[in-house]
Structures are given as C-alpha cells and as structure tokens.
Amino acid sequence: MVSQRKNFRVAVVGGGIAGLTLAISLHHRDIPVTIYEQAEAFGEVGAGVSFSPNAVEAMKFCHQGIHQAFEKVCTRNLWPSKQDVWFDYLDGYHTGTSTTAKSASRQDIAFTIRNSLGQNGVHRAHFLEELIKLIPHDIARFNKHLETIVERESDGKLLMKFADGTEDEADVVLGCDGIKSQVRQLIVGADHPSAKPSYTHKYAYRGLIPMEKAIEAVGEELASNACMHMGPGGHMLTFPVNQGKTLNIVAFHTTPGEWSDYPRLTRQGTRDEALRDFAGYGPNVINLLKLTEKELSVWAIFDLGKDPVPTFYKGRVGIAGDAAHATSPHHGAGAGFCIEDTAVLATLLRDKRVQTQGDLEAVLVAYDISRRERSQWLVQSSRFIGDCYEWRAENVGQDFKRIEEAINYRNGVIANVDIDQMCEHAKSILGKKLTCVTKASI
Ligand SMILES: Cc1cc2nc3c(=O)[nH]c(=O)nc-3n(C[C@H](O)[C@H](O)[C@H](O)COP(=O)(O)OP(=O)(O)OC[C@H]3O[C@@H](n4cnc5c(N)ncnc54)[C@H](O)[C@@H]3O)c2cc1C
C-alpha cells in the first residue's frame, strides 16, 4: 500500500533516545519531521543502557532498523546458561568474607530474576551511532536551544524561538528534551511544581572495568553476567558491555543530604569517596570498586515522582520520554518507555483520520490518556524497587523472598505489554476525541 505523505510538519525538540526514535519512526511513516537539538551534534553521556522485552517489542513496532541497530550493538550475559537471566541478586553486604573472592562469590546469589530476553546492554554512544544512520542528515538542526513557542494567529502555525535568535515553524511540537525539559515548563508553567524534577536522595558512581580484571576480582560467573549487589542504603549493579570486553558498573548510594548543584546533574567524584560510601560491604563490591578509575563521574538521581506532570500536552505541544516521565533507573526501563511513547505517537500521527491542526490536538489528547498513567506508575515503582534493593522499602525490608516477589510482579507489569494493543487502544481513544472535535465544530 502506498502511504500518503502527511501535509503537516512535526518538530521534535531534543535528539536523545526519545527524540531520535520518534524522528526515525515519523520519517519512515512519511510524516515530515525536523529535530532541533541544542548540542552541536547528537551525543549520549554515560555508558550502558539495557532494555526489557517491552522496549524491544516497541523498537520492532517503531521501525525494524531501530531493532537491528540494537541487535548490532547489544551485549547479553556471556554465559549461554544465563541467556534468560535479567539479574542475579546478591547479598553484597554480609557474605563473601573471603578476600580471594572467586570462591566466595557464587554463594552470595540470593535469587535470580529472569525474563524472555535476559539482560542486554548497549553502549549508549554505539546505539546512537547506529540510530543516526536511519535518518537523512538534513532532518536535524544543531545548536538550537529552544526557548519558547508561540502560536501565529493567521494560520495557527507554532513558532519556535531558539537561543541563537532564529525561529522555525511547525504544526505540532514534541518536546523530547529530557529531564530538565523546557517544553514541559512551557506546558505546565515555569512555577508549577512539576516544571523541575526533584532529587530522590540517591546518587550513583558510574565506571567501566576491563573484563579480565573484573574476572580476577569476582570470578568469571559474576563478572560475565548481570548482577545486582544489594546492601543497606546502597546497591551496585554490574553488566557486561562492549561485546563482553568491559564490565559496566553503577553503584548507588542513598543520602539524607541535598544535591548541591542543580541544574547540573553530574559531578566529578573519586574512587576513594565511593569506597567510603560502601565501607563495610563484602569483597565483591569492594574489589570491583577498587578497580574503577581514580576519578569517577557521579550522577544525581532526579525524577518526576514527587510532583508528577498533570498533563503531557497543551494544545499542539506535547512531551515524551524523560521530559514527560523522568524516572530513577532502578527498573532499567526509562529509555524503553521513551520508545513506547514513540510507538504510540507515531501510530496516532500516521492515522489516516489525522489531517488538520484540530486533529493534531486530538492526537495529543489520546497520547496523554494512553501513556500518562503507565509511565507515572513506572516512576513511583522505580523509587520503591530502588529502596527494596537497599533493604529500606516499607513492609519488605531485608526479606529476600519479598524483594524477589516485588521485582517479579513489577517487572511483569513493565515487560508483559502488547505494544500493538497499546497502539490500537490509543487509536480508539483518538477516534472518540476526533468525533468530539468534529461535533464541536458543526
Ligand atoms: C544512571 C542511569 C542509568 C539508566 N539506565 C537505564 C537502563 O538501563 N535502561 C533504560 O531503559 N533506561 C535507563 N535510564 C533512563 C534513560 O537513560 C532515559 O530514560 C533516557 O535516556 C531518556 O532519553 P530522552 O531522549 O528522553 O532524554 P535525553 O537523553 O536527556 O535527551 C534529551 C535531549 O534534548 C536536548 N535538549 C535539552 N533541552 C533542549 C532544548 N531546550 N532545546 C533543544 N534541545 C534540548 C539534550 O541536549 C538531549 O540531547 C538510566 C538513567 C540513568 C540516569
């Protein structure tokens, strides 16, 4: 079937995972789209990101090329017997008192969480490099920091104004501009509590360790396959990236203190500082931390959980990805939910009933109804599960059985969704909203 090119123009603000997957999906559905990115080129910071089964299904739904890009750069657990293991969960604190950790490591596994795909990690920059190949160069405008959007009275076009003094226009603007989203501020108002994210009182040290060193430190099983080392007020996750040549580690620490440097969400830290935060932990954790670089980047974990966004749109301006539902990373699902957003938005914008500016507003109403509840649940659930890993969650504590049950139940909610059905449902909401719009205009 030949698809008809849409005669409206979509502006996507921000070129992270949300913006890029959206632009790819729209471009390949014959919908005119331009990305406006504030940086001088596409780029991702940080090392590993992993995807659960719902995210991988959403990739396939959005565009096969996105899924192929993921397959090309993804690293799974290295052991064939662990291909369905999401994480082995370990007591990172009490056990493993041997200093030659090889012998101590295995016995620390408290339980194992599995899913249909097991653990898979991509290096963010490598994934992005592959995604960029799926769109023509002229779709992207760089050095474009969006400041404001106004509607032109004469034809209803949305005028975007950028920090460099330039302007451009579109029929619908989708803010994929991340956790500190300017588009969110324009939708809810700069003084609204949800305009800015809040600190979850956790920060994370991130490091990369050569695989052979990691094997020496914790043994082959724990180094080659994804592990979550739990403890009181801290936890450390590890999984192989870079085709198994490197071990990615993220070590979270909970603190009553405030993050002193908002709006910066990262700062330079040190290995010594990390070792102080994890003092008293078992050798698996300590031995791995000792192998990190002397200087480590520290990430503040902010989210939109304290003050959830009351709406994902205003008129023909919408938000997706972290701009809409920035979450702490404890479910490893934030980026996957960006791709779910993309699947729904691309489906709705491609719908043949969508032609006019009024229809575009109905698209965003349907998107908001379809996506807000699920993605805001993720934000709350992620906070809770992060506390489970640190033996702090109410009615769970250090009870490993309960922690395991909580993870399995919540991971099920995340992974066991039918993306086709989600998009069909959004289309049925769109049908009702379009009828309302038509009736109102008669
Ligand atoms: C430590 C950590 C680990 C994580 N691990 C996982 C994981 O394993 N699995 C998972 O699914 N998720 C994970 N996440 C979450 C995931 O990284 C995010 O959900 C995802 O990357 C968000 O993508 P995004 O495109 O919405 O935002 P971003 O990646 O933040 O992209 C926003 C883009 O918008 C641009 N921009 C910002 N403001 C403007 C403006 N005004 N004008 C123009 N451009 C602008 C920025 O330059 C940037 O390129 C993790 C997060 C953290 C912090």
Side-chain angles (χ1 to χ4, degrees):
M1 200 172 69
V2 181
S3 71
Q4 208 186 352
R5 191 162 167 83
K6 293 284 189 181
N7 61 3
F8 53 79
R9 176 158 287 282
V10 181
V12 171
V13 181
I17 289 174
L20 264 174
T21 56
L22 184 55
I24 292 164
S25 305
L26 297 182
H27 173 71
H28 290 279
R29 283 170 174 75
D30 255 338
I31 301 171
V33 57
T34 306
I35 307 181
Y36 301 88
E37 167 56 52
Q38 66 182 3
E40 60 188 23
F42 292 121
E44 276 273 351
V45 281
V49 59
S50 67
F51 292 100
S52 42
N54 57 306
V56 175
E57 286 311 305
M59 289 177 195
K60 291 182 198 161
F61 183 96
C62 289
H63 182 60
Q64 281 300 332
I66 299 176
H67 180 237
Q68 285 156 6
F70 159 75
E71 284 291 343
K72 187 168 171 191
V73 296
C74 123
T75 304
R76 297 197 154 80
N77 283 332
L78 302 185
W79 282 17
S81 60
K82 300 233 182 202
Q83 291 307 296
D84 65 346
V85 170
W86 188 55
F87 278 107
D88 281 323
Y89 280 74
L90 295 95
D91 181 338
Y93 193 72
H94 294 109
T95 50
T97 45
S98 160
T99 41
T100 54
K102 270 180 207 166
S103 56
S105 52
R106 200 186 192 294
Q107 74 200 31
D108 301 343
I109 297 176
F111 56 87
T112 295
I113 300 288
R114 299 169 198 277
N115 69 27
S116 58
L117 291 180
Q119 183 59 240
N120 54 74
V122 302
H123 193 294
R124 285 171 186 262
H126 299 168
F127 185 44
L128 207 79
E129 260 167 43
E130 294 301 319
L131 291 182
I132 293 164
K133 294 178 189 163
L134 299 170
I135 39 168
H137 295 299
D138 60 1
I139 273 189
R141 309 271 184 281
F142 295 106
N143 298 307
K144 295 291 169 199
H145 175 83
L146 180 90
E147 286 190 329
T148 193
I149 305 167
V150 288
E151 187 175 329
R152 191 162 59 205
E153 262 185 42
S154 57
D155 58 1
K157 292 276 182 200
L158 299 172
L159 294 185
M160 295 164 288
K161 303 195 176 192
F162 300 99
D164 64 357
T166 59
E167 291 184 2
D168 212 344
E169 62 183 50
D171 298 288
V172 56
V173 178
L174 298 171
C176 299
D177 48 345
I179 189 164
K180 290 183 276 176
S181 171
Q182 174 69 6
V183 181
R184 182 174 70 242
Q185 290 204 22
L186 296 174
I187 290 175
V188 299
D191 296 330
H192 192 273
S194 68
K196 290 202 172 85
S198 51
Y199 188 37
T200 63
H201 292 272
K202 282 184 171 42
Y203 56 78
Y205 299 93
R206 307 184 77 178
L208 294 168
I209 300 174
M211 184 54 81
E212 63 280 4
K213 290 234 155 85
I215 290 174
E216 271 172 35
V218 294
E220 198 185 339
E221 180 172 8
L222 301 192
S224 310
N225 305 293
C227 289
M228 187 81 74
H229 302 263
M230 301 178 286
H235 70 280
M236 182 168 94
L237 65 89
T238 62
F239 57 84
V241 290
N242 197 14
Q243 262 61 48
K245 295 187 203 91
T246 311
L247 186 69
N248 179 50
I249 80 159
V250 191
F252 294 87
H253 177 72
T254 295
T255 167
E258 294 301 326
W259 182 259
S260 57
D261 193 16
Y262 185 84
R264 282 184 61 216
L265 302 187
T266 58
R267 68 170 170 81
Q268 195 68 54
T270 63
R271 180 173 62 208
D272 287 347
E273 214 184 300
L275 284 165
R276 273 198 300 277
D277 279 345
F278 283 86
Y281 276 66
N284 291 330
V285 170
I286 299 300
N287 290 349
L288 287 177
L289 284 177
K290 279 184 180 162
L291 289 174
T292 56
E293 300 279 322
K294 248 179 148 175
E295 307 239 294
L296 288 178
S297 86
V298 184
W299 288 49
I301 308 300
F302 277 67
D303 73 2
L304 289 170
K306 185 160 164 270
D307 299 295
V309 183
T311 173
F312 284 3
Y313 78 101
K314 184 176 176 190
R316 279 171 285 123
V317 179
I319 40 176
D322 276 15
H325 44 72
T327 172
S328 54
H330 312 304
H331 272 306
F337 271 47
C338 294
I339 306 175
E340 286 188 7
D341 289 350
T342 288
V344 170
L345 279 168
T347 300
L348 294 173
L349 287 165
R350 183 59 248 169
D351 191 288
K352 60 180 183 306
R353 295 166 294 182
V354 175
Q355 301 293 340
T356 65
Q357 288 179 348
D359 302 339
L360 289 170
E361 183 161 344
V363 160
L364 293 187
V365 177
Y367 161 71
D368 178 63
I369 295 172
S370 158
R371 293 295 301 152
R372 190 149 46 88
E373 189 179 333
R374 174 169 163 79
S375 48
Q376 291 185 338
W377 169 85
L378 176 75
V379 179
Q380 300 303 333
S381 184
S382 179
R383 281 184 169 213
F384 177 79
I385 218 72
D387 279 345
C388 284
Y389 301 168
E390 299 182 2
W391 307 341
R392 301 162 40 88
E394 215 177 310
N395 299 325
V396 178
Q398 205 191 315
D399 183 332
F400 289 162
K401 192 85 211 121
R402 286 192 178 180
I403 298 175
E404 183 180 2
E405 278 167 10
I407 299 167
N408 273 325
Y409 168 70
R410 287 155 193 273
N411 280 13
V413 175
I414 292 164
N416 302 332
V417 285
D418 183 329
I419 301 292
D420 284 277
Q421 218 172 61
M422 182 189 285
C423 293
E424 280 307 312
H425 180 59
K427 272 165 75 170
S428 74
I429 303 169
L430 174 68
K432 291 187 194 126
K433 296 300 157 190
L434 286 171
T435 316
C436 295
V437 172
T438 315
K439 276 191 185 147
S441 56
I442 291 170

